[in-house]
Amino acid sequence: MALEQICGLNLHQHIDGFPDKSLQSMNISLLNDDPLQDSKFTLPPVAEPAEYLSQLAKRDGGPKIRFLHGTTTLGFKFEHGVIIAVDSRATAGPYIASQTVKKVIEINPYLLGTMAGGAADCSFWERVLAEQCRIYELRNKERISVAAASKLLANILYNYKGMGLSVGTMIAGWDKRGPGLYYVDSDGTRCTDRLFSVGSGSPYAYGVLDTGYKYDMTVEEAYDLGQRAIYHATHRDAYSGGVVNLYHMQETGWVKVSQTDVKDLHYRYQEEKGQA
Amino acid sequence: MSDRYDRAITVFSPDGHLFQVEYAQEAVKKGSTAVGVRGQDIVVLGVEKKSVAKLQEERTVRKICLLDDHVCMAFAGLTADARILINRARVECQSHKLTVEDPVTVEYITRHMAQLKQRYTQSNGRRPFGLSTLVMGFDYDGTPRLYQTDPAGTYHSWKANAIGRSAKSVREFLEEHYSEEVSASEHETVKLAVKALLEVVQSGAKNIEMAVMKRGEPLKMFELEEIEKFVAEIEKEKEEEAEKKKQKKAGKET
């Protein structure tokens, strides 16, 4: 890099006369014409980045970087759009670090992403996705489709496969093809379905969702189902809790429906049971 | 004076010309003519086929190429450069399908080719592509499109256009004869393209190659007989026109 040359530093020595791969990979492409073919990305300047990074995440032998997967997020497609419901608890081992985490990332007015896994990884890469989506929109004079947006993220994450990223996200939106919901994770998985739940509380949420899901639900029924599923997950999973943030993806974009404390939901459902 | 400024592509001349790009455009003007007409439900490409030598296999020289199921192009200029450009465009069509899960729009692939051409006008040690292209097809929402690119890397959308040898006179012909009526009828659109080419190609149907694309249908190359049918129809019309004029003249004189 230029500063290095001026200072006369030589941080990267050539090994066996081979060209310095790590310096090349640190070059940020200034003529970034085509993000869809962007092959340069930042890596630590070592010989084997994957090994180096995975060592940081190993548990044995003292404090290492530990990724926090405690969460419950869910999303489902139905006749009137897509519902996204998430909890808001962040834990560091047995300690509850926060009860007010925003686990839904508003990529743009018609795309939402959820956060499960490493909070920093999710929010950073989804912000990168927001940048790419905006550039696509400017270049092609039309909104990016949910399929394309999720594919962009999946391809980025696949490039870092094995290097310790922890992302389990759902990309939801409404485009020309109608409502869209994709599950993307840091293993490189990308799939679409009507119903997803991600996180440590997902088994509990799936139980409630699978019982109550119907494609032709009313909007009110869908809101209730989403809230109920998150509540039940927070009730049984120690790593989920806080408040339920509920979003509805409509044709005109997303709306934030409600933010309800699970404590209130608990007493409300108890009353219902009492009355029944 | 232009001598000093035409070697290196990356150097402007004092009066603001990029001579290499202009020379590339001259190379295009030497190439055989290509005509494109955009109708409402059909898009037509026609090219002048240079006569082949006796021992040469006719069908190996193809100037109309398919870029994807719904986009095709014709070019005028250096055939070898065209091969490279077409190759890159074909790869980009598939790459786009892979990352975006949608077929390219005609505008997108034209823009991609134009960007590629522009990059070659700003790199050291490379010369520009010596060809102009006519890209046509249908977007997935059904809109027909016709675009033209040139060696400088610019691209524009056209209702009808011609490139290559005598492009100017063919374009003037098209301007005179193109109308909304013509574009509404598939038959008339094809006939206009044939008529325009016949202005330049004196020898008739055997030196014309035509291809049409209709919405939702794959590219269709015309057989010689079909082109000959159009030519015959055009000849008849011309004769009828001439007859009418003669009669009018005779009527006036008497």
Side-chain angles (χ1 to χ4, degrees):
Chain A
M1 314 251 261
L3 185 58
E4 228 179 271
Q5 278 179 345
I6 294 171
C7 299
L9 285 174
N10 187 15
L11 293 175
H12 307 280
Q13 272 126 359
H14 288 248
I15 308 164
D16 299 334
F18 274 53
D20 200 345
K21 258 187 4 193
S22 54
L23 185 59
Q24 268 176 20
S25 58
M26 271 168 69
N27 273 337
I28 295 158
S29 177
L30 292 169
L31 284 173
N32 196 0
D33 292 323
D34 204 344
L36 294 177
Q37 288 177 6
D38 190 359
S39 55
K40 294 195 175 72
F41 47 94
T42 45
L43 289 174
V46 291
E48 290 289 316
E51 219 181 86
Y52 172 74
L53 286 166
S54 63
Q55 277 183 13
L56 285 178
K58 277 206 203 113
R59 303 290 172 103
D60 46 278
K64 304 273 181 171
I65 296 176
R66 260 202 310 175
F67 293 104
L68 317 165
H69 303 94
T71 193
T72 312
T73 64
L74 63 87
F76 57 88
K77 264 196 289 198
F78 73 119
E79 196 181 343
H80 303 283
V82 191
I83 298 290
I84 300 280
V86 299
D87 78 314
S88 67
R89 178 175 289 183
T91 49
Y95 175 70
I96 294 177
S98 168
Q99 291 271 64
T100 54
V101 178
K102 283 197 63 177
K103 296 189 187 180
V104 172
I105 293 147
E106 297 154 5
I107 295 171
N108 63 42
Y110 52 94
L111 273 181
L112 285 176
T114 62
M115 187 198 297
D121 289 339
C122 287
S123 66
F124 178 81
W125 288 110
E126 287 183 22
R127 282 169 66 89
V128 170
L129 179 63
E131 174 207 42
Q132 298 292 338
C133 288
R134 180 61 182 149
I135 290 176
Y136 180 99
E137 206 181 304
L138 287 169
R139 284 198 177 135
N140 296 287
K141 296 182 200 146
E142 67 170 11
R143 284 189 193 166
I144 192 170
S145 64
V146 190
S150 59
K151 199 130 200 193
L152 282 179
L153 182 63
N155 286 338
I156 293 172
L157 294 178
Y158 182 74
N159 279 328
Y160 290 91
K161 187 176 162 87
M163 298 187 191
L165 279 186
S166 171
V167 172
T169 179
M170 292 180 288
I171 304 292
W174 195 306
D175 60 25
K176 272 193 285 218
R177 295 193 188 127
L181 180 64
Y182 286 82
Y183 167 71
V184 178
D185 77 12
S186 43
D187 293 333
T189 310
R190 173 184 168 267
C191 51
T192 185
D193 200 353
R194 281 182 178 177
L195 189 54
F196 284 115
S197 178
V198 186
S200 56
S202 61
Y204 311 108
Y206 271 129
V208 177
L209 278 175
D210 288 333
T211 315
Y213 177 81
K214 273 192 325 264
Y215 183 77
D216 47 6
M217 290 185 280
T218 66
V219 172
E220 290 304 320
E221 284 175 336
Y223 290 169
D224 182 67
L225 183 64
Q227 270 188 340
R228 209 173 277 263
I230 295 285
Y231 159 74
H232 283 285
T234 59
H235 187 60
R236 285 293 176 182
D237 178 32
Y239 298 101
S240 303
V243 298
V244 179
N245 283 312
L246 188 61
Y247 286 75
H248 181 188
M249 177 65 66
Q250 299 166 336
E251 193 166 354
T252 48
W254 55 261
V255 288
K256 181 164 184 180
V257 177
S258 64
Q259 186 177 28
T260 329
D261 197 320
V262 294
K263 185 173 43 131
D264 300 331
L265 288 175
H266 174 80
Y267 291 115
R268 194 194 305 170
Y269 296 148
Q270 232 186 22
E271 260 188 59
E272 280 176 16
K273 268 195 279 188
Q275 286 173 357
Chain B
M1 163 142 102
S2 66
D3 228 20
R4 268 191 270 156
Y5 299 100
D6 56 15
R7 292 306 152 86
I9 175 66
T10 49
V11 176
F12 275 108
S13 72
D15 49 353
H17 290 267
L18 275 175
F19 278 116
Q20 280 300 305
V21 175
E22 292 183 7
Y23 297 163
Q25 281 161 346
E26 289 298 314
V28 170
K29 287 195 199 144
K30 287 205 168 64
S32 49
T33 319
V35 160
V37 184
R38 184 186 87 197
Q40 277 174 22
D41 308 298
I42 191 174
V43 281
V44 187
L45 277 179
V47 293
E48 174 196 355
K49 220 172 27 172
K50 290 221 167 85
S51 346
V52 293
K54 255 208 251 177
L55 294 175
Q56 194 177 46
E57 293 273 6
E58 224 192 299
R59 286 303 172 193
T60 55
V61 183
R62 267 270 138 83
K63 284 193 59 170
I64 300 178
C65 319
L66 200 59
L67 294 181
D68 199 355
D69 300 322
H70 61 294
V71 188
C72 68
M73 63 167 262
F75 62 90
L78 276 66
T79 317
D81 285 2
R83 220 175 40 233
I84 302 297
L85 199 64
I86 290 166
N87 218 18
R88 300 277 274 269
R90 283 175 175 162
V91 170
E92 179 59 25
C93 284
Q94 298 311 312
S95 179
H96 184 275
K97 247 193 222 170
L98 181 61
T99 37
V100 181
E101 289 192 349
D102 259 332
V104 292
T105 59
V106 185
E107 198 261 341
Y108 178 91
I109 193 63
T110 310
R111 187 168 13 116
H112 183 265
M113 284 203 291
Q115 270 173 358
L116 182 61
K117 284 183 173 180
Q118 192 280 340
R119 216 171 294 154
Y120 276 64
T121 69
Q122 226 177 358
S123 310
N124 228 346
R126 297 181 189 179
R127 61 164 177 80
F129 283 93
L131 71 148
S132 290
T133 69
L134 285 173
V135 186
M136 72 160 201
F138 286 88
D139 289 340
Y140 44 82
D141 62 357
T143 331
R145 303 260 184 220
L146 173 66
Y147 284 91
Q148 181 224 2
T149 66
D150 65 16
T154 58
Y155 69 98
H156 302 278
S157 175
W158 289 79
K159 292 182 184 156
N161 199 6
I163 51 176
R165 199 164 59 84
S166 320
K168 201 153 170 274
S169 49
V170 178
R171 201 175 305 133
E172 280 166 7
F173 180 89
L174 287 170
E175 278 176 19
E176 253 183 65
H177 291 83
Y178 182 92
S179 71
E180 291 304 313
E181 254 180 44
V182 168
S183 70
S185 149
E186 289 180 12
H187 187 84
E188 291 297 315
T189 311
V190 183
K191 210 162 70 170
L192 177 63
V194 181
K195 256 202 274 187
L197 260 183
L198 283 175
E199 295 278 308
V200 202
V201 178
Q202 306 302 342
S203 29
K206 59 177 168 55
N207 278 31
I208 292 179
E209 204 175 298
M210 290 240 104
V212 297
M213 196 184 276
K214 292 192 211 173
R215 188 175 295 116
E217 286 179 30
L219 181 72
K220 179 171 172 317
M221 301 285 299
F222 275 6
E223 299 290 323
L224 186 59
E225 299 87 45
E226 292 172 294
I227 304 177
E228 276 175 348
K229 253 198 279 177
F230 274 102
V231 174
E233 200 184 311
I234 291 167
E235 298 278 301
K236 218 175 69 168
E237 271 180 13
K238 267 204 205 142
E239 278 174 21
E240 284 172 6
E241 275 286 319
E243 271 296 315
K244 261 198 251 169
K245 274 205 190 131
K246 248 201 261 173
Q247 281 180 5
K248 252 205 219 158
K249 234 182 152 183
K252 273 201 203 147
E253 277 172 9
T254 50

